Amino acid sequence: MYDPPAYLWLMIIAGTAAIAATTCVALYGGAVHVGLGRRRAGLIAGAAAVLLGGWFTASALIGGHGWYDTQHSQAPWMPVAAAAFLATLLALSRIPAVARAIAAPGMGSRLVLPHTFRVAGVFFLLYLVFGQLPALFAVPAGLGDIAVGIAAPLAAARLAQGTGRRAAVWFNALGITDLAVALVIGALTGYGLLAVTPSSAPISELPLVLVPTVGVPLMLALHITSLSGLKRNSMRPVGVLAARTTMKV
């Protein structure tokens, strides 16, 4: 088991926590914007914080007990946990009050901003430098996260100005591709389907395991929700035009 330097622990934990925190802030802002009131907005944001913080803690405990171990565990608990958390997030986003907050004007830019903290993905490259992750995994995972993190505030700014919808679609596509590539390569190397040196064992150990089990599902949920909102907004003018036409007839 590899115990990384304290600053790597800090980078991974702080980066994941920052993405979760800005997501809660985004939900609060959206809820207030659609008129749910500060109290209900606070409840929504607070519930999201409890959910994200609770799973963060639970996943850390699971990882600490070695149950995510890709080298010795007979069951793929890490991808199962990640998939279950993603499904939970997407299901909860359909709760009426949450769905209203997500559909609030300006929510597109709010959902993009949390990805800014993916620049912390430089820790993948540091693991590589220390000889604890294979280049096949660490390079695309690290450079991809850094690129998305740099692009996030630019995409959010253009959306906030009422422009940049097409750029936002491309941004989300880039972000999903980055996560998908990292997940596939991580699974292939982590479960020994591709023989690499060094091994990808640290992926299933603390603190790095918090990324695929907590951070990645949350980021995928943000991307999916953002794309759904962009699609809904692109269709809205057509619906308005049809309604006006009907009224004239």
Side-chain angles (χ1 to χ4, degrees), residues 37-65:
R38 295 188 180 277
R39 181 180 178 183
R40 291 188 67 186
L43 288 174
I44 292 173
V50 170
L51 171 67
L52 296 175
W55 174 240
F56 184 98
T57 303
S59 189
L61 291 173
I62 293 171
H65 283 83

Side-chain angles (χ1 to χ4, degrees), residues 21-42:
T22 48
T23 299
C24 295
V25 173
L27 287 172
Y28 178 85
V32 170
H33 203 84
V34 293
L36 291 178
R38 295 188 180 277
R39 181 180 178 183
R40 291 188 67 186

